[in-house]
Amino acid sequence: MNQKVGIKLRWWLLGGSVLLLFLADLTAGSTQIPISEIVKIIFGFSPLDPIHADIIFNFRLPKTVTCVLTGSALSIAGLLMQTLFRNPLAGPDVFGLSSGAGLAVAFVVMAGLSSQLNVLTIPLAASIGCAGVFVLVFVAAQKIRNNVSILIIGLMIGATTSSIVSILQFFTQAESLQQFLIWTFGSISTLNWTEISFLAGVVLAACFALFVNIKSMNGWLLGESYAQSIGIQSKKVKTLAIVTTSILTGVVTSLCGPIAFVGLAVPHMTRILLGTTNHKNLLPGVIFLGSVLMLVCDILANMPGGGSVLPVNAMTSLIGAPIVVWILIRAKRVYV
Amino acid sequence: MYKEKEQDILFSVSDLKVGFRDHALFENLTLDLKAGELVCFMGPNGVGKSTLIKTLAGLHPPLSHLKGGLKGGEKKISVVLTDKIQVADMSVRELVSFGRYPYLGWNINLSSHDDEIVSRAIGQVRIQHLSEKKLFQLSDGQLQMAMIARALAQETPVLLLDEPTAHLDLNNRVEIMNLLLSLCKKERKAVLVSTHELDLALQTADLLWLAMNKTIKKGIPEDLVLNGALDELFQFKGFDLKTGKVQHSPHRSKHVGLKGEGAELLWTKNALERNGYQVSDRGIHVSISKAGNKFMWRVDEKIFDSISELLKHLDAVDR
């Protein structure tokens, strides 16, 4: 009973920290805006200074909402991959999915297809790139049971795609090349509201698809044979995981550039925090904790002050990598 | 006379071909499992027992089969496999709850009825004290018991178990076989157990399935012992199945005559034969007597209070 109360408290703490960090992230930036003013603006009251409303609505709120969405999306993707592979080292960046997305975008942009670009072209290409790599790694995983070998295969695929991108860059005209390089610098602060609504739609759809399938994902943890023996269709789990993860990673990568370590670290932190392997709790857990991690990273990225902002992509590795190492040391063995 | 009723057959397949794409393990199998019957499935390693069990449970595609339901059997067939469970940070109770999954909706809410069944399954294998432990804290044997409880919680009429006693100590092995036997007899389940434990199989099984020459030979244990099918299957080297003993070739020419009764006679004979003596009514005369709960072995005028002392003496005489 005591433990149950403890778990409940942790949920409240998680939810509370998402809210607090959300507000804190809105205060971060070169212009000082007091919290009371921010709350006013969010709830639609007229602020003391109309410029503040402009800053919040056009700069800070989009970036903060993007943090929450990308943090959630990548953490869900990481959780799904770790469940599908039953491999604690799985994650969208470590298994080369992000590089697959990069390769696909490079093809589209540098082949000059970008002139008739639709808003959806690049996210779609990125998702297909992710799915391609995912299927490759998954097929390899069926043959090789060793977790570390699969990790190395993922890294090799990542290396291969990066070198193909370099070769493509060599043969590309300056104009297309510039467009591609701008994409690779993608950051969470450049999204407009249209892109954010698209991202939000994708994340919500993925959450819905996963919440109605928590039973299959839990069952999958027992291994394919046991899962089937309790009535779980393995084809459905595999398809769900591959499609959802690819779309989530593809869309996030195409809009914000590659963001490392969130997908790998957050599911582990969630398991340790909530002490569960049940997706019914893990799924909301990674959404909260993924948001927390991205918001913290963004707040830290704004620390230098004076108008200079560090790239959040660099912050996630800086924070995520030590967390993974700490978890490995603390838990001696990391379980899915 | 007991007449076999149609509804007693809980599971049947015919003309089943089992194996992998270019490698058939079993052909033309016609198998059935009856309510209240414990079947032990035996055969050497690598003969395909696990694949057959997975095929029967619908977890491995059959190469061909004529009739019988091999799919959608989650409410009909539960399994204990040799597959390793890779998820370790899960409690025993959670693991056993997976047995209820076929009966739960998408939001996997266990009703109080489901909770009761889970508790009962945990109680049946007597691991109540482990129910809140995490899987990584368990020994192989304890994990095996938890997997059996998981299968029991599925409440299926048919249970297929692949070497469920492999990691267990003797007490637990006997306990599991007795549990399976009582499930058969009291709850009229059909149970198939693959095992290498010949002694347990001979003493508990209603029926043996012997995997040999791409087919399965069926029969009650005693018949298969007497008609030599088990000898053919295992090709015992120096083990006499009909007496249930390992044969020792007497490497000493000494005969020992034994006089005594009961367990002490049996074990003295065992020790002597193991050490290469021939036990007959000739040779050195040993008589065993019992005083209270102590035994005495007398050779001529000498008295020994343990078999090991006796063996030392005989060895000295032998030189």
Side-chain angles (χ1 to χ4, degrees), chain A residues 215 218 221 226 229 280, chain B residues 81 87 101 104 107 109 154:
Chain A
K215 183 175 161 186
N218 278 350
L221 289 176
Y226 276 122
S229 83
K280 204 177 184 175
Chain B
L81 304 169
V87 189
Y101 266 42
L104 301 178
N107 57 352
N109 275 333
Q154 212 168 327

Side-chain angles (χ1 to χ4, degrees), chain A residues 85-86 145 147 211-216 218-226 228-232 271-272 275-278 280 333 335-336, chain B residues 54 58-59 74 77 79-90 94-95 98-99 101-102 104-109 134 136 147 150 154:
Chain A
F85 287 95
R86 286 182 291 271
R145 294 278 164 197
N147 283 353
F211 266 108
V212 296
N213 281 297
I214 44 176
K215 183 175 161 186
S216 304
N218 278 350
W220 187 256
L221 289 176
L222 293 185
E224 187 162 357
S225 292
Y226 276 122
Q228 280 179 293
S229 83
I230 52 175
I232 283 153
R271 282 188 207 101
I272 289 177
T276 181
T277 49
N278 189 342
K280 204 177 184 175
R333 284 175 63 193
Y335 304 107
V336 175
Chain B
K54 282 190 175 176
L59 309 176
E74 67 264 19
I77 302 173
V79 290
V80 172
L81 304 169
T82 51
D83 298 19
K84 272 211 112 158
I85 298 290
Q86 287 160 306
V87 189
D89 199 15
M90 179 190 284
E94 278 180 90
L95 177 77
F98 277 107
Y101 266 42
L104 301 178
W106 69 273
N107 57 352
I108 43 177
N109 275 333
K134 298 276 186 180
F136 66 84
M147 291 312 294
R150 190 211 59 79
Q154 212 168 327

Side-chain angles (χ1 to χ4, degrees), chain B residues 164-180:
Chain B
T165 54
H167 296 291
L168 303 182
D169 60 33
L170 184 61
N171 262 332
N172 283 330
R173 282 206 298 257
V174 174
E175 199 170 309
I176 283 301
M177 290 306 278
N178 281 337
L179 170 67
L180 295 176

Side-chain angles (χ1 to χ4, degrees), chain A residues 127-163:
Chain A
S127 301
I128 292 170
C130 285
V133 172
F134 203 142
V135 169
L136 260 178
V137 178
F138 191 67
V139 168
Q142 305 283 52
K143 309 254 176 229
I144 311 160
R145 294 278 164 197
N146 186 325
N147 283 353
V148 178
S149 303
I150 295 162
L151 179 70
I152 292 169
I153 287 175
L155 293 176
M156 291 305 113
I157 292 174
T160 313
T161 51
S162 321
S163 64

